[in-house]
Amino acid sequence: MQVKARCWDSRASLTIRLAYRKNASRIWKTIKTTQGRCNGRYHYARINNAGHTHYDADMFTNHRGPGSKTIQYWVQYYR
């Protein structure tokens, strides 16, 4: 699985978190977390699929103040 994401606003930072869970479990386990600045450049998070059933990607910023933050992302899942 690969996630490519970016945002704009140099005062904020972008966090990408990749997680998985097995079929019988309801608990998500974080595999990888990456952080970078919201400067318009892409940030990457990659993992090799390890045979788990469900994968998840979360993206969020530490943006404070009025208004919302836009995150542009691209996700690729491969077997």
Side-chain angles (χ1 to χ4, degrees):
M1 178 177 203
Q2 175 177 298
V3 176
K4 180 171 112 172
R6 67 179 175 174
C7 58
W8 297 265
D9 181 2
S10 60
R11 292 172 292 167
S13 66
L14 171 68
T15 302
I16 303 171
R17 183 175 58 207
L18 302 179
Y20 75 91
R21 74 177 172 94
K22 294 183 179 178
N23 235 355
S25 176
R26 292 185 180 200
I27 299 170
W28 288 93
K29 296 189 179 191
T30 300
I31 302 170
K32 187 167 203 172
T33 303
T34 62
Q35 272 191 317
R37 296 182 64 85
C38 286
N39 57 7
R41 294 183 180 171
Y42 284 107
H43 302 285
Y44 296 89
R46 293 183 190 99
I47 57 169
N48 292 328
N49 295 348
H52 300 292
T53 309
H54 303 282
Y55 291 90
D56 181 50
D58 297 317
M59 291 149 282
F60 50 91
T61 67
N62 66 345
H63 174 69
R64 303 275 188 237
S68 60
K69 177 65 62 191
T70 300
I71 299 174
Q72 180 183 32
Y73 66 93
W74 176 79
V75 177
Q76 180 181 15
Y77 176 77
Y78 46 90
R79 292 183 180 200

